[in-house]
Amino acid sequence: MKFTNMKYERLEFEPTNEKLKSLLKQFNEAKNAEEAFAVYKEFDTFSQHIDTMFTLAFIRNSLDTKDQFYSDEKDYNDEMEPKLGEAANELKKAFLATPFRKEFEAAWGSLIFDKAEMELKTFKPAIVADLQEENRLTTEYDKLIASAQINFDGKALTLAQLAPYHENNDRSIREASMRARAEWYMSHSGRLDSLFDELVKLRTKIAKTLGYENFIELGYYRMERLSYDREMVGKFREGVLKYIVEIVKRLKAGQAERIGVDKLKVYDDTFEYPDGNAKPVGTAEDIFAHGQKMYHELSADTAEFIDFMLESDLFDVLTRPGKSGGGYCATISNYKAPFIFANFNGTSGDIDVLTHEAGHAFAAYLARDLYPSILREYTYETAEVHSMAMEFFTWPWIEGFFGGQTEKYQYSHLARALTFIPYGTMVDDFQHRIYENPEMTPAERNALWLEMEGQYRPYLDLAGFPFYGEGRRWQAQAHIYEMPFYYIDYCLAQTMALYFWAEAQTNHAGAWEKYCRFTKLAGMKTFTGLLDEAGLPTPFTTETLKTIAGTAAEWLEG
């Protein structure tokens, strides 16, 4: 079915809640395992329907934030979702207490019970109103960013439309475009500060209501971290500071020399070659035509996947006023359909849509028939391995996107993968410090960010530049507002993607086989369990970081 024909209907709270309560009663009254399985199947199907309606409203709202119908529907669902949490919570409790647990574990494994126990740690009826307010605040942030109209080059541009100017060959244009971006954020700095104040205090209140010292423990439970903890993440951050920051400093020194500047200013950071960065050739239609050819040649599974995506119109990639910024992949459960949202802007980022976001979509497509649906639900760092590794597996076909700029793109792609890790780790470090000290003032938060810039990105000269020089760069990172503690998942995944890149250089088929083994297991194991099953190293040791980063640096510096 094409995306436009997928039917949305509002789920009114009372009948939806009553249906969940009825299923709870039936589950508790099951006389044998067969009856319990039948009720669970009905619950699973109904849950997927709820998720489908919420997802359709979310996608259609992000496609046009000015569409009043879907704006109202998203607001309604943001209010309704936490209210349904009580009935869903009671069902999880009943599931954990079932006398037929042995039969469920024999059929589906014990991980589903571990996941249910963790989910119970994130909810009590007492926090419903606070969860609704958290949804409202994050939606307000998203709408604020989507509303940006910046006058530049004689046009009114969104933040996504302004982005190509940041990579212009003319340094004065790069600087002017970054100043225009910075000025827009500065003009909204008051609300950005107060929004984050409200979110930090609200999340801290929710955590304390649930019995936690601060939001960090709750944040980890929300991120479903069953196989590693904050101490292991702390070790990862130490390894990044010890091994990767120094490599990135060398790469950035080479970049400064290459483009002919003494110091990398914020408007030089993403400009990598004196004759300009690699840009994709051809139209959006050309890009998708080559993307289809690429996935047909990569494997039988990817061929089937890309045909399904294109035939069902499951991409929306052209930027326009009122469309939300950024990019994502969401799964529409009832239709077993991944949907890819992006904002093409003529930069190499456009190709990421057919590599990174398609990596997410491919994983969802492979998992589409797993039952129960909880087995399809891999955790966030696992999802990012799917996408970031796919970026590298598509290297043999990159020339079709970049022509004579292929080597330039590949160098940039690998270098950016390495340079991203310190930035992403800084975002995580910043959030830990913020939620450990929720009473920080806006000025103290900005000072902390600026201090961390010096630790994690010492090569970048921010002095005197508005917004960036004041330590406000974090306000442009949506995850900090909307998905706390997500960002380290990108860094863990990038580390594993670099491992796949290194292996694929000498044995593409063998590396792809490992990737498929990792991906097809979906949510049937924890993150570290998936790594073990696929024969992959863990990113939590400094030795792994040192080896993987060193291999990439050797290729780049050679």
Side-chain angles (χ1 to χ4, degrees):
M1 180 177 288
K2 292 188 182 297
F3 173 72
T4 51
N5 295 329
M6 293 179 184
K7 184 182 177 183
Y8 172 78
E9 60 183 5
R10 174 180 283 196
L11 297 172
E12 298 294 343
F13 173 71
E14 288 300 334
T16 304
N17 200 46
E18 285 306 310
K19 172 73 170 177
L20 290 171
K21 287 181 177 179
S22 170
L23 289 168
L24 171 64
K25 184 173 184 292
Q26 292 175 55
F27 190 82
N28 282 330
E29 292 174 354
K31 297 181 179 63
N32 52 51
E34 185 179 357
E35 287 184 13
F37 273 99
V39 177
Y40 187 92
K41 183 175 183 180
E42 190 176 353
F43 164 69
D44 192 70
T45 300
F46 188 57
S47 297
Q48 293 301 290
H49 180 64
I50 295 171
D51 182 69
T52 297
M53 295 307 111
F54 284 4
T55 301
L56 283 172
F58 168 78
I59 293 171
R60 288 173 178 159
N61 174 244
S62 63
L63 292 175
D64 183 3
T65 59
K66 295 185 289 186
D67 182 319
Q68 195 58 51
F69 175 80
Y70 281 110
S71 179
D72 291 344
E73 290 306 293
K74 184 174 185 303
D75 289 345
Y76 177 83
N77 292 338
D78 284 350
E79 288 278 320
M80 180 181 170
E81 186 177 22
K83 288 162 64 179
L84 292 175
E86 185 171 357
N89 222 43
E90 291 305 311
L91 274 159
K92 289 187 187 82
K93 288 179 182 176
F95 183 59
L96 288 168
T98 179
F100 311 112
R101 180 165 178 162
K102 188 181 295 184
E103 288 86 345
F104 276 101
E105 287 188 345
W108 301 332
S110 61
L111 184 58
I112 56 173
F113 288 95
D114 296 335
K115 288 182 176 182
E117 285 173 358
M118 181 164 281
E119 287 168 6
L120 282 175
K121 294 176 179 179
T122 68
F123 182 84
K124 283 181 181 176
I127 66 170
V128 166
D130 291 331
L131 292 175
Q132 291 172 327
E133 179 64 4
E134 185 180 9
N135 283 341
R136 187 191 69 78
L137 291 170
T138 57
T139 296
E140 182 181 342
Y141 173 83
D142 187 56
K143 287 181 177 178
L144 176 61
I145 301 304
S147 74
Q149 289 286 286
I150 301 166
N151 293 318
F152 192 81
D153 194 22
K155 306 165 190 170
L157 303 174
T158 64
L159 288 164
Q161 289 169 330
L162 183 66
Y165 292 94
H166 306 334
E167 296 185 5
N168 194 281
N169 292 21
D170 187 329
R171 197 182 194 202
S172 66
I173 292 176
R174 295 201 303 275
E175 179 180 359
S177 70
M178 288 297 284
R179 285 192 183 278
R181 183 178 194 266
E183 285 164 8
W184 184 86
Y185 276 102
M186 289 299 291
S187 70
H188 294 86
S189 60
R191 186 54 186 143
L192 288 167
D193 277 333
S194 61
L195 261 176
F196 194 61
D197 268 335
E198 292 174 60
L199 281 165
V200 170
K201 289 177 172 57
L202 183 64
R203 287 168 178 152
T204 301
K205 178 190 172 190
I206 291 170
K208 289 184 180 294
T209 302
L210 292 173
Y212 305 118
E213 180 183 357
N214 56 41
F215 179 72
I216 296 173
E217 188 175 1
L218 173 58
Y220 272 58
Y221 289 146
R222 284 186 176 187
M223 296 302 294
E224 301 175 4
R225 290 181 180 153
L226 284 162
S227 59
Y228 61 96
D229 55 26
R230 59 190 291 191
E231 285 72 30
M232 293 168 73
V233 171
K235 289 288 185 186
F236 179 86
R237 290 199 302 265
E238 289 174 14
V240 169
L241 283 167
K242 185 173 182 181
Y243 294 113
I244 298 186
V245 169
E246 286 304 311
I247 291 172
V248 172
K249 279 172 65 178
R250 296 201 306 269
L251 293 174
K252 287 295 183 177
Q255 178 184 337
E257 182 179 355
R258 198 161 59 243
I259 65 174
V261 299
D262 294 331
K263 288 183 177 179
L264 282 180
K265 293 284 192 179
V266 66
Y267 45 85
D268 297 318
D269 188 34
T270 59
F271 182 70
E272 297 170 280
Y273 304 97
D275 59 343
N277 290 2
K279 291 182 175 62
V281 295
T283 64
E285 289 76 17
D286 296 330
I287 289 171
F288 274 89
H290 182 64
Q292 188 170 25
K293 176 178 182 290
M294 173 178 76
Y295 282 121
H296 270 257
E297 294 175 1
L298 177 57
S299 75
D301 284 336
T302 51
E304 180 184 294
F305 151 74
I306 196 64
D307 289 347
F308 171 77
M309 294 291 291
L310 292 171
E311 288 164 9
S312 305
D313 291 341
L314 293 167
F315 288 91
D316 190 296
V317 303
L318 301 180
T319 189
R320 54 187 175 269
K323 186 177 180 180
S324 287
Y328 63 75
C329 174
T331 300
I332 309 163
S333 302
N334 281 0
Y335 301 96
K336 299 182 179 181
F339 182 89
I340 290 178
F341 171 99
N343 284 274
F344 271 21
N345 59 17
T347 69
S348 62
D350 295 354
I351 306 309
D352 294 342
V353 175
L354 277 170
T355 57
H356 181 101
E357 297 302 344
H360 285 309
F362 177 60
Y365 185 76
L366 288 180
R368 67 196 183 282
D369 292 324
L370 287 178
Y371 178 80
S373 62
I374 195 169
L375 297 181
R376 302 176 213 152
E377 297 172 8
Y378 35 77
T379 47
Y380 297 99
E381 72 293 290
T382 299
E384 297 307 335
V385 175
H386 298 154
S387 58
M388 289 175 160
M390 181 66 86
E391 294 176 28
F392 289 115
F393 279 116
T394 56
W395 265 28
W397 293 270
I398 285 297
E399 186 175 358
F401 296 119
F402 289 97
Q405 305 173 83
T406 299
E407 287 187 341
K408 187 189 280 190
Y409 167 78
Q410 289 177 327
Y411 180 94
S412 295
H413 182 199
L414 189 60
R416 287 186 181 191
L418 268 181
T419 57
F420 168 78
I421 294 174
Y423 171 75
T425 306
M426 174 171 65
V427 170
D428 181 71
D429 200 352
F430 177 73
Q431 291 183 99
H432 278 82
R433 299 274 288 277
I434 291 296
Y435 287 106
E436 283 170 353
N437 303 279
E439 299 304 319
M440 273 187 176
T441 65
E444 288 171 333
R445 288 196 292 264
N446 296 340
L448 172 63
W449 180 267
L450 202 55
E451 176 191 336
M452 288 184 167
E453 287 274 19
Q455 292 176 292
Y456 287 95
R457 302 202 297 177
Y459 55 84
L460 206 53
D461 181 6
L462 305 173
F465 203 88
F467 186 63
Y468 298 90
E470 297 167 25
R472 292 181 174 274
R473 166 66 181 83
W474 62 271
Q475 292 182 332
Q477 190 59 64
H479 301 73
I480 293 176
Y481 285 81
E482 298 175 352
M483 288 286 287
F485 298 114
Y486 191 149
Y487 229 62
I488 198 66
D489 296 53
Y490 289 115
C491 303
L492 297 171
Q494 190 68 277
T495 305
M496 300 317 302
L498 288 169
Y499 168 84
F500 278 120
W501 165 82
E503 185 150 323
Q505 297 311 295
T506 56
N507 184 7
H508 193 278
W512 177 254
E513 192 274 330
K514 279 187 183 180
Y515 172 81
C516 289
R517 191 157 69 241
F518 176 90
T519 304
K520 287 179 178 178
L521 284 167
M524 290 190 278
K525 291 185 179 292
T526 64
F527 174 57
T528 57
L530 290 170
L531 295 177
D532 289 343
E533 189 73 21
L536 302 171
T538 172
F540 295 107
T541 68
T542 53
E543 192 56 39
T544 298
L545 275 174
K546 183 179 179 182
T547 301
I548 289 173
T551 301
E554 183 179 355
W555 188 91
L556 289 164
E557 291 171 343

